[in-house]
Amino acid sequence: LGKHPGLPPSKVVVHCFTGCQRELAALVDGGVCVGLTGFVGISKRAAATSAALEEVGTMLMASRRLMIETDAPFMLPDKRWLPREMAQGKQRGRCEPLVTTGVCRALASILQCSEHEVATATTQAAEALFGFASADERFATALSSGAPPAPYAAGMDARAQEGAPASAAAEPEAVGNALQAMHLASADVDDGLD
């Protein structure tokens, strides 16, 4: 942050936090968001990080500054946290987006709360940081008016000039479907994971 004095701490995510309580406390004091990967579910390596999260993780989650991520293809959590279809495999695979459910499960265990609480809070943190909620509103407004949102209209114009088809409805619909899938995944993260 020292190199970027105008950058608000609330727009900073510390990627793949693997530190101790002292380091996490400094990040909390700094007001940044903290990203957690499958590292929190690696029992042989994550004791200090787990202890730090036990101290302040609930507060970070409540303040919408805690996120989960994969750090694909690295940081695959222990098999017990993996989704059933991955856990039943004979060899440990690479970390992939599906593993965020395992990160969620491990984090819920550390924080002694439900997976649904973790999924909801971390999804809301990502929505706030990346502006997904406002994007949902802009897409809904644009779709109801029949005009694509400005960034998509500009992109479609550029593609049309290059000879590519410009579909005003396909872009917002695809993004809306992706956002809806993300919302559903966060709401149902604990379904079928036992």
Side-chain angles (χ1 to χ4, degrees), residues 113-125:
C113 65
S114 75
E115 294 164 17
H116 183 75
E117 289 173 284
V118 170
T120 299
T122 57
T123 297
Q124 289 171 349

Side-chain angles (χ1 to χ4, degrees), residues 19 42 45 62 76 90 99 103 127 134 145-146 157 159 161 186:
I42 302 173
R45 297 176 61 197
L76 190 67
K90 293 185 179 182
V99 175
V103 176
E127 288 173 340
S134 62
S145 73
D157 290 344
R159 284 194 306 274
Q161 290 174 357
S186 69

